[in-house]
Amino acid sequence: MTGCARTVVVQQPPGGQAIVRPIQAGNAPGTYTVVKGDTLYSIAFRNGTDFREVAQLNGVAPPYTIWPGQVLKLPGNGGPAPGHAPPVVVIAKAPPPAPPPPPAGAPAPVFQTVQTAPVTTPPPPGPPSAATTTTVVPVAGVSTPPPAAPVVAAAATPIVAAGGTRTAGGVKWRWPASGSVVGRFQASAAIPGVDIAGKEGDPVVAAADGVVVYSGNGLVGYGELIIIKHNDSFLSAYGHNRKRLVTEGQQVKAGQQIAEMGSSGSARDELQFQIRKDGSPVDPLDYLPSR
């Protein structure tokens, strides 16, 4: 979705989630014109890309200051994205021409068959037998190094900590609202996240420590929206609020109230919650603690 684009919002039956289909207007293909209220993070968020790619493509350095009227190029449009090498084209050589046939009356060539011994490949060494032992014989004047400690691979599963938190991706996550999940994650959805039920005015809290990088209502279909940056890889987003309680640049702690639940941009009172990793939406249930 683009901030200055016209947007068609198609509502499903009451209780369903709005589907947003943006229509480009006023922007050249592969570009976006900044409007008042935009941040580099919100532009990257609405275009489904990483804010670092947008910054690198446009030469915008931290703290990523942009201004209304500025035209930004978007990754994936009109050239390879930063950090990706162009494709390599390999041109195969033409096969050599066949030798001309021998002249008429010439003796037929004689081919000699050479017998070669079959080549045998020794089998790869198998694992040592369980009964095999290795004896170290000490040598006078030479110290024997201690045996190396076995290497144990780190667990790949997230850590579930006490107090309703879960550490995944280097971030300690907690639930942003107390209601039940009434809408599951679909990567192909126009608004890819989970919907958490509740009633108007219920507290919405930060899912992890971070800094607010967007607080506004400029993304059609999200209503009153807050985006929090947790580290260079992870953002979380909180939509459909009735009231926003934090401002851009504000540091927040996990569990701190940041908004009041509402129905802005939705047909019912709910929190639309997203987690994005390197600009791409991921299933929040893979990061939030089990209930």
Side-chain angles (χ1 to χ4, degrees):
M1 290 178 287
T2 54
C4 60
R6 290 190 301 110
T7 306
V8 177
V9 179
V10 181
Q11 293 283 357
Q12 291 183 351
Q17 178 180 327
I19 299 176
V20 182
R21 296 184 175 89
I23 300 176
Q24 288 280 56
N27 288 321
T31 65
Y32 176 79
T33 302
V34 180
V35 298
K36 184 178 180 180
D38 279 337
T39 68
L40 189 77
Y41 298 92
S42 67
I43 294 170
F45 185 90
R46 66 162 57 91
N47 286 282
T49 189
D50 190 351
F51 70 92
R52 292 167 295 183
E53 290 192 9
V54 179
Q56 182 179 348
L57 189 61
N58 293 277
V60 180
Y64 307 121
T65 302
I66 56 177
W67 57 91
Q70 183 178 2
V71 178
L72 299 177
K73 292 178 287 186
L74 301 177
N77 295 277
H84 297 277
V88 177
V89 180
V90 179
I91 302 176
K93 295 182 179 179
V110 178
F111 298 96
Q112 182 180 6
T113 302
V114 179
Q115 297 291 336
T116 59
V119 178
T120 59
T121 303
S129 171
T132 303
T133 58
T134 302
T135 303
V136 178
V137 180
V139 179
V142 179
S143 59
T144 303
V151 178
V152 180
T157 55
I159 302 170
V160 179
T165 62
R166 180 184 190 184
T167 300
V171 179
K172 184 179 290 186
W173 302 95
R174 57 157 294 156
W175 281 84
S178 59
S180 58
V181 175
V182 294
R184 300 298 292 263
F185 173 80
Q186 295 182 12
S188 60
I191 301 181
V194 294
D195 300 325
I196 302 176
K199 64 181 184 297
E200 186 177 10
D202 281 354
V204 174
V205 302
D209 296 350
V211 58
V212 179
V213 294
Y214 180 78
S215 179
N217 54 14
L219 277 72
V220 178
Y222 286 90
E224 300 295 335
L225 174 67
I226 295 169
I227 302 176
I228 297 176
K229 176 186 175 184
H230 304 292
N231 57 28
D232 278 346
S233 292
F234 284 95
L235 302 174
S236 60
Y238 313 74
H240 302 329
N241 301 296
R242 178 180 75 175
K243 183 179 181 181
R244 293 174 282 110
L245 304 178
V246 291
T247 57
E248 291 169 11
Q250 182 175 339
Q251 296 280 344
V252 294
K253 291 291 186 180
Q256 175 182 338
Q257 184 173 1
I258 59 174
E260 296 176 359
M261 189 179 294
S263 59
S264 59
S266 176
R268 62 186 175 193
D269 293 327
E270 64 181 12
L271 169 64
Q272 210 289 329
F273 178 68
Q274 293 188 29
I275 294 178
R276 297 209 178 186
K277 179 183 179 183
D278 297 328
S280 299
V282 294
D283 190 346
L285 299 185
D286 290 340
Y287 294 84
L288 296 175
S290 300
R291 282 178 164 178

